[in-house]
Amino acid sequence: MASTTFTGAVTSKNGFIGAVTGNITGNVTGNVTGIVFGTVQALSGAGAVNITTAVTALTTTGASQALTLANGGTSQFKTIVHVVDGGSAILTPTTAIGFTTITFTNVGDTVQLFYSTTGWAVIGSKGVTIA
């Protein structure tokens, strides 16, 4: 199997992220975070999970905190990750397909959602309770 070793600055053109110059690790991390994920919502306590970011980092500050999620745009993805455990949170989307609530209890609990024309569907999860 052939292998390529890069030395010095690397420059390439890519229609998705524009010109990539310099450290490959830095550019991959920076561009994936900035372009693919955009800004991460930091949500502490009860409240609304926004639909304007792809990722929400959840900090719980008490037991059974109520979270809401409005309807999204068709073909929209949303990931919610429990990052600081101060209790539990219960997410209730406005429109859900095949479930009513999602409960986050421990750090690392994660859910990936997809919005279609009929509501939010769970496409992946780790540790959460889906009811």
Side-chain angles (χ1 to χ4, degrees):
M1 172 191 245
S3 141
T4 304
T5 302
F6 295 100
T7 59
V10 176
T11 301
S12 88
K13 283 294 214 183
N14 180 313
F16 180 66
I17 60 175
V20 175
T21 304
N23 177 314
I24 291 176
T25 302
N27 279 294
V28 169
T29 302
N31 284 305
V32 167
T33 300
I35 293 175
V36 175
F37 296 114
T39 303
V40 174
Q41 176 193 18
L43 179 60
S44 182
V49 173
N50 72 37
I51 59 169
T52 59
T53 62
V55 178
T56 295
L58 172 63
T59 295
T60 54
T61 59
S64 300
Q65 296 177 303
L67 304 175
T68 59
L69 178 62
N71 289 339
T74 301
S75 300
Q76 179 178 352
F77 291 94
K78 182 69 184 180
T79 300
I80 304 167
V81 181
H82 192 178
V83 295
V84 178
D85 187 4
S88 61
I90 301 170
L91 173 70
T92 306
T94 299
T95 307
I97 302 170
F99 70 99
T100 305
T101 61
I102 300 170
T103 302
F104 299 81
T105 306
N106 300 303
V107 168
D109 286 1
T110 304
V111 68
Q112 294 87 32
L113 301 165
F114 177 77
Y115 191 84
S116 70
T117 57
T118 55
W120 290 105
V122 175
I123 58 171
S125 67
K126 175 189 168 283
V128 296
T129 301
I130 300 169

